[in-house]
Amino acid sequence: MRSRHQITVPGPEVKTTGGVVRGITTHGVHTWRGVPYAAPPVEELRFRAPQPVVPWEGVRDGSRYGPVPVQERIGEFIGAGKETPMGEDCLTLNVTAPTTVSDEPRPVMVWFYGGAFVVGASSAPTYRGYDFARRGDVVYVSVNYRLGALGYLDFSAYGTPERPIESNLGLRDQIAALEWVRDNIAAFGGDPDQVTIFGESAGAISVTTLMATPSAHGLFHRAIAESSAPGMVFGQRRARAWAAGFVTALGADDDPLAGLTGATPRQLLGAAQVLRDHLGDQPGTIPTAPVVDGDLLPESPLDAFEGGRAADVPLIIGTNDTEGRLFELPRMRLDVLVSEERAHTMFALTQPELRDQVLAAYEDQPFRKDLGGDYMFWYPSVRIMQAHRGPVWAYRYDLTTPVLNLMGVRATHGMELYPVFGLADSSAGKWLTALGGRRSLRAMQERVQADWIRFAREGAPASHWPQYDPETRLTKILDRTDRIESDPRRERRLAWEGFRGYD
């Protein structure tokens, strides 16, 4: 028998800039799904910056999620399952709000999903966000943005005055969604002056990149970055070389513009796969990522933070204990350094003088491959922790389970999603704790959600979590029993000091 929270009935109608949308009431919340925040980026708008939403007549049905961005179907935990509608007309978002009436506008939490900028969807069951609305009394928003070649390869060099192409399309989508939140969220009971952006992996890269994007400043007021890889933002020279490689893989060298605008989504996905398969000569990079284009994004996020030019909003930022081990598993695509050969190549292409110093810091580790996770996620996040001008709270997520230990990955990339989104008793959570650990995961869920919600409401997590500063480097270690450590993994940090990575 279903509980009263699981019963779905028609919900309230809300007027937005596009028109009226009717939501549903389910799981104890009101939710409006598949709400357009920009015009469909199709046909003449493919590879163009998002345009204003096209108004509709009558009442729009908000009971169904919009199509997910074009991507490979890898499952519904974070992306598109076999039955999920998919298409280029994907610029929609979802709003979830408490059913109770409030005399005051509620804080807003805007989620950007992860997936290396090639997979992900706001409709994934993982990201429903019901707990935030019910428990936190906040308005929760999850956003679709363009992925892969359609969102994160820089084809601007192939545009013409008659048929321009803009760069950083996925980033522009996220800004358009935040502008929609600014203009519309009050109608859903949210406070446009109290917006927290948060995300994991590529979503966290989005958070730290938005903090470095001048045109996004003022659209959000707090930020949470879960396992960001801030260095995965590259200059135009490298980005345009990847774009040229993609055009060749597409078979469009003779007329790149016609090839790009006329290709089917399946052809674009195929060319992207060819490009990824030939990146072995640049280990530790991802071609589908934001680009320093001198326009929307004038400088790399790390340079913006270290130069004091990033948005100085309160920030929670952290990584997981063994970030890189997830990518040792079969079928994982992200190019983290999971072998010493690739590490040697990466240093040769960046800063060879630091190679021996960094590698020496991992000699006594049981898994020397943890260097890859530290290179991509941990050390660049530390650079942001120590440079950010606004208040910072740092964490490391260490909670593991017997299943994860048996797999050899421990508290690896993405594991904090389980407590953040209250997944301890989901089918995935039950599998993760099949050999034990569910009680600890439930307790972690209570603590993490309380911190994230309090941060969204008050601009600071719980009082027992001290701020980070470059002198003490106090960091909260999230484990069965949380603790505060000063400068955790100091030896590793010192070994990486001065490392800048790829341009």
Side-chain angles (χ1 to χ4, degrees), residues 325 367 398-411 432 435 480:
R325 297 191 195 183
F367 283 77
D398 280 20
L399 184 67
T400 186
T401 70
V403 167
L404 294 173
N405 293 338
L406 191 63
M407 294 172 64
V409 297
R410 291 181 15 203
L432 195 70
L435 301 179
R480 293 189 179 187

Side-chain angles (χ1 to χ4, degrees), residues 263-304:
T264 66
R266 178 49 56 186
Q267 289 171 327
L268 294 175
L269 288 173
Q273 182 61 60
V274 172
L275 179 64
R276 287 197 299 271
D277 289 345
H278 288 83
L279 278 179
D281 59 341
Q282 300 176 63
T285 62
I286 53 175
T288 49
V291 55
V292 178
D293 57 10
D295 175 23
L296 185 73
L297 187 61
E299 60 183 331
S300 77
L302 287 168
D303 285 345

Side-chain angles (χ1 to χ4, degrees), residues 22-145:
R22 180 190 297 116
I24 58 174
T25 301
T26 183
H27 291 80
V29 296
H30 297 316
T31 184
W32 298 263
R33 299 169 174 171
V35 183
Y37 66 83
V42 300
E43 298 176 351
E44 289 302 309
L45 294 184
R46 178 189 272 190
F47 300 122
R48 296 301 313 277
Q51 300 299 306
V53 67
V54 177
W56 58 85
E57 298 291 334
V59 178
R60 184 182 180 93
D61 178 16
S63 66
R64 297 182 179 180
Y65 293 103
V68 304
V70 173
Q71 61 193 276
E72 297 289 348
R73 294 187 183 275
I74 65 166
E76 283 198 328
F77 185 74
I78 63 167
K82 293 181 179 179
E83 306 302 324
T84 309
M86 182 186 299
E88 292 184 64
D89 181 6
C90 63
L91 299 187
T92 64
L93 50 74
N94 318 299
V95 181
T96 299
T99 57
T100 55
V101 176
S102 174
D103 294 332
E104 299 291 334
R106 293 178 162 104
V108 181
M109 299 183 73
V110 180
W111 174 256
F112 298 115
Y113 49 73
F117 298 112
V118 293
V119 297
S122 65
S123 56
T126 305
Y127 308 138
R128 296 291 161 87
Y130 299 146
D131 280 2
F132 287 112
R134 278 199 310 258
R135 174 180 177 178
D137 197 36
V138 303
V139 177
Y140 170 80
V141 180
S142 55
V143 177
N144 274 351
Y145 58 92

